[in-house]
Amino acid sequence: IQAQGGASYTFSEYYRDGSFGKLITPQVALSFGKHFTPVFGLRAQVAGWESKSKYPAKDDYYKHKYIQGSLDGMWNLTNIFGEYNPNRAVDFYGFVGLAFVHGKSNNSVNINEGRDPQEFDKKGVNKSNMVLPRLGFQLDYHVSNIVSLNLEANGTLLEDRFNGIVQDRSYDGMV
């Protein structure tokens, strides 16, 4: 069982024109997993909160609320490339998975033009549902036999429509 708190950064249209700090947003996650061998495990995770994008041609930002459910295959890279030691204080993991992402964005950018009306609710809020790949790494420090602290970096590839703006990019992304 794992509880996480952290930050996310969304790569989408106009992110290069925005301030790095203004595009960082909070993220929380709750995970349940099981190690089947000293090398391999599975983890189910629910994560989300919000992400931010920059308006085009304005010095302003807008938020997207989202929730993400993921299933990750996790590999203990320390045990793959080193000797198995159940008393080791630090383990390094790699993981690959699939995420179902549901998002909502309410912004004043003209995003309705040429889009399927089913993607918007009655108030013009952009909604999106997508299944996407994700990957990441985790450094796990074992405080005791039942408590660990970890530092995790992960990325999810998002469809271009995630933030409510569709342009010439194939994908947006979140780390």
Side-chain angles (χ1 to χ4, degrees), residues 5 16 37 52 56 60 62 71 82 90-92 118 127-129 137 159-160:
R16 288 188 179 113
T37 71
K52 270 191 200 170
D60 202 4
Y62 61 97
L71 183 61
V90 177
D91 281 304
F92 185 62
Q118 301 255 338
K127 38 184 187 170
S128 59
N129 292 303
F137 295 98
E159 292 178 16
D160 186 36

Side-chain angles (χ1 to χ4, degrees), residues 34-42 72-76 80 93:
K34 171 83 174 138
H35 288 268
F36 297 103
T37 71
V39 171
F40 178 73
L42 284 175
D72 300 323
M74 300 189 71
W75 288 267
N76 185 319
I80 290 174
Y93 290 87

Side-chain angles (χ1 to χ4, degrees), residues 24-161:
I24 294 176
T25 55
Q27 181 178 349
V28 294
L30 182 61
S31 308
F32 299 91
K34 171 83 174 138
H35 288 268
F36 297 103
T37 71
V39 171
F40 178 73
L42 284 175
R43 171 177 79 173
Q45 183 180 77
V46 175
W49 193 334
E50 67 184 19
S51 106
K52 270 191 200 170
S53 291
K54 186 177 180 318
Y55 280 111
K58 289 168 71 174
D59 192 26
D60 202 4
Y61 301 83
Y62 61 97
K63 297 177 183 178
H64 329 278
K65 301 290 184 188
Y66 72 95
I67 188 164
Q68 171 179 307
S70 308
L71 183 61
D72 300 323
M74 300 189 71
W75 288 267
N76 185 319
L77 301 176
T78 310
N79 289 340
I80 290 174
F81 297 109
E83 205 172 293
Y84 171 65
N85 178 353
N87 298 317
R88 183 181 292 119
V90 177
D91 281 304
F92 185 62
Y93 290 87
F95 61 89
V96 176
L98 283 176
F100 172 80
V101 180
H102 170 74
K104 282 188 166 188
S105 174
N106 186 5
N107 63 65
S108 62
V109 178
N110 184 6
I111 56 177
N112 294 325
E113 194 172 312
R115 300 277 302 279
D116 182 352
Q118 301 255 338
E119 293 181 33
F120 302 91
D121 68 13
K122 293 176 185 174
K123 295 179 182 175
V125 175
N126 174 64
K127 38 184 187 170
S128 59
N129 292 303
M130 49 193 82
V131 177
L132 306 153
R134 65 185 244 121
L135 61 91
F137 295 98
Q138 183 182 91
L139 187 63
D140 198 36
Y141 173 69
H142 308 284
V143 176
S144 71
N145 286 340
I146 59 170
V147 175
S148 293
L149 297 174
N150 70 56
L151 181 62
E152 181 174 307
N154 66 63
T156 303
L157 193 61
L158 302 164
E159 292 178 16
D160 186 36
R161 63 191 172 91

